[in-house]
Amino acid sequence: MSTKLSILDLAFIVEGGSAAQALRDSIALAQWAERLGYERFWVAEHHNMDGVASSATAVLIGQIAAATERIRVGSGGIMLPNHAPLTIAEQFGTLATLFPGRIDLGLGRAPGTDGPTMRALRRHLSTAHEDRFPEDVLELQAYLAPAAPNQLVRAVPGQGTEVPIWLLGSSLYSAQLAAYMGLPFAFASHFAPAMLMQALEMYRAQYRPSERHPKPYAAVGLNIIVADTDAEARHLFTSIQQRFLGMQRGQRGLLPRPVPQMEVLWTPSEQFQVERMLAESIVGSPATVKAGLRDVQERTGADEFIVACAVHDAKARRRSYELLSGLAD
């Protein structure tokens, strides 16, 4: 399998753990990923979630980049409606100045949180604000481009860094916008797989070549857990299944410990909903996962897989990525 492999990490706070440990584990995982040859290591912006420690995304990216040497580090993504484009240009311009050639800026349109937290982040909330997403992306690009003559507002650091921008999404909207703007596109099928194939088809069919990206480039988000046996991997997978079950019930919390079986925890309708959201998951031994990866690559034609691995035990998580890296040859 020649498709590039990358990692999406949320610095999960696990049951029995702490935010401090989650952040240390995230940095250690990035160092491990670099040794294993992964393409990039992204962290995601979420707010007001007990189990996620990556809320100050740019700060964490800086710590990860400082602790590594070669792997690309970035956001998967920054939720742009939460921020002024100038602020993000300054943050990522600073990161790109400190770590040249290693920083990615993935942008999402969703808020990554709930209504009250959106208001706390933005100080106002209106549908018009969300509708400004394309304009905000263009404004952000302008701040990261070389300064124009007589430009009144500049990102310092930032201007001229031309930090690579990706558009992220789980809908046709983001795919269409990425195609129109000639940008790389990453689909969040690790939690919202329903429109994956439609989005990829639309992105490629409508793609308008840009100077930096003459061809479309599509990454696909996957949940992948690899263990020595299928049974062990399925056991580890129950942590993320429990987390998605909690989402169905409106309950947020720490990443649960794995359980012997899920049947005693969910109803048939809840099971259906969780399995629907986690449909793009490959769980099993190296042989099982290799076959699953081949199937997804043939189905999607992905240029890259962005892999999430929400496993409670940090050592088992690192082991999963180690086994997975051996399947990329």
Side-chain angles (χ1 to χ4, degrees):
M1 188 200 70
S2 58
T3 307
K4 293 179 181 178
L5 290 174
S6 295
I7 291 175
L8 174 65
D9 188 58
L10 273 66
F12 277 117
I13 307 171
V14 303
E15 286 184 352
S18 66
Q21 187 61 54
L23 294 171
R24 288 193 294 268
D25 287 343
S26 190
I27 293 168
L29 179 59
Q31 293 171 322
W32 186 236
E34 181 171 76
R35 289 195 290 272
L36 294 172
Y38 280 85
E39 181 75 11
R40 66 190 88 242
F41 189 96
W42 282 0
V43 293
E45 177 187 349
H46 292 280
H47 300 280
N48 196 28
M49 293 187 181
D50 292 338
V52 176
S54 56
S55 55
T57 314
V59 176
L60 181 54
I61 289 170
Q63 292 294 307
I64 291 170
T68 53
E69 297 178 359
R70 299 175 304 279
I71 193 170
R72 297 194 67 87
V73 185
S75 60
I78 289 291
M79 302 298 107
L80 192 54
N82 295 337
H83 310 278
L86 177 61
T87 300
I88 300 305
E90 291 172 339
Q91 290 176 358
F92 279 77
T94 299
L95 289 167
T97 302
L98 289 168
F99 310 104
R102 294 184 55 209
I103 302 299
D104 297 326
L105 175 50
L107 300 173
R109 181 171 174 256
T113 188
D114 52 62
T117 308
M118 283 191 289
R119 294 179 180 88
L121 286 164
R122 305 180 194 176
R123 298 295 181 187
H124 65 85
L125 183 63
S126 68
T127 54
H129 191 69
E130 280 200 3
D131 291 340
R132 279 193 50 82
F133 182 70
E135 290 83 356
D136 285 349
V137 175
L138 290 171
E139 183 180 346
L140 178 53
Q141 285 182 310
Y143 289 136
L144 295 172
N150 302 316
Q151 184 173 334
L152 295 178
V153 180
R154 298 173 297 137
V156 183
Q159 64 180 23
T161 56
E162 297 185 296
V163 179
I165 289 177
W166 293 61
L167 292 191
L168 283 54
S170 58
S171 69
L172 302 183
Y173 176 94
S174 298
Q176 193 168 27
L177 183 61
Y180 181 80
M181 300 184 77
L183 292 172
F185 174 58
F187 192 87
S189 39
H190 60 292
F191 70 87
M195 295 186 180
L196 170 62
M197 297 309 298
Q198 286 177 273
L200 292 177
E201 182 179 353
M202 176 177 288
Y203 171 65
R204 291 169 177 145
Q206 298 185 12
Y207 191 79
R208 304 192 332 166
S210 60
E211 182 177 350
R212 296 189 67 181
H213 305 286
K215 295 181 180 179
Y217 190 93
V220 170
L222 297 174
N223 298 292
I224 299 180
I225 297 177
V226 198
D228 293 327
T229 66
D230 287 345
E232 181 185 356
R234 287 194 297 267
H235 177 66
L236 296 173
F237 188 52
T238 62
S239 289
I240 192 64
Q241 288 176 314
Q242 290 176 80
R243 184 169 181 83
F244 274 67
L245 175 60
M247 292 167 58
Q248 290 295 314
R249 296 173 175 176
Q251 302 168 350
R252 304 279 183 171
L254 308 183
L255 184 67
R257 293 180 174 86
V259 294
Q261 56 182 351
M262 288 295 299
E263 285 72 14
V264 297
L265 299 181
W266 56 21
T267 67
S269 61
E270 288 173 331
Q271 178 182 359
F272 175 81
Q273 292 299 328
V274 170
E275 292 180 347
R276 180 180 61 83
M277 295 177 71
L278 294 174
E280 292 296 345
S281 300
I282 309 174
V283 179
S285 66
T288 298
V289 171
K290 187 169 186 176
L293 282 170
R294 188 182 303 113
D295 174 73
V296 176
Q297 212 293 320
E298 290 175 355
R299 179 161 46 90
T300 65
D303 298 292
E304 188 169 332
F305 293 132
I306 307 287
V307 179
C309 181
V311 167
H312 182 275
D313 181 74
K315 291 182 180 179
R317 190 183 314 131
R318 289 195 293 270
R319 174 63 173 161
S320 178
Y321 281 119
E322 178 184 17
L323 292 171
L324 177 60
S325 69
L327 305 179
D329 300 328

